[in-house]
Amino acid sequence: MRETVPLAADEVWVEILGRDCRVLRRTDDKTLAESVALLEQTYRDMERAYELRWGGPPSTLDTTTWLLMGALNLAHRVVRLEQEASQQTQNLELTLTRLLDDVPDASPDTNETI
């Protein structure tokens, strides 16, 4: 398939679980390879979850659909992690604000510094 389908200037071929996929390239080779590995691991995690839930491996699935589900699953994880990090940052800012509010101000008469 690679030989018959021309690529645009910003596209590359990657192999995901033995299937050729044409993707937009917006990163360096190392990051792209790490992303493919992460997507493949997500696919394997989904497959294991399917086996645990239904007692066996998925039957003949449309691999393209399964890969897209894996990508969406991964994107959902990233969004959730970003939300958790944002919440932790907000909690930390609130804690620091409370701590600063509890620190007494230096009185101008005594020339004390904190």
Side-chain angles (χ1 to χ4, degrees), residues 23-46:
V23 297
L24 289 175
R25 181 193 182 110
R26 302 221 169 130
T27 187
D28 58 80
D29 288 339
K30 181 182 177 201
T31 303
L32 182 61
E34 289 171 352
S35 299
V36 168
L38 190 55
L39 180 58
E40 287 179 335
Q41 185 57 51
T42 299
Y43 173 81
R44 288 184 194 96
D45 291 346
M46 287 173 38

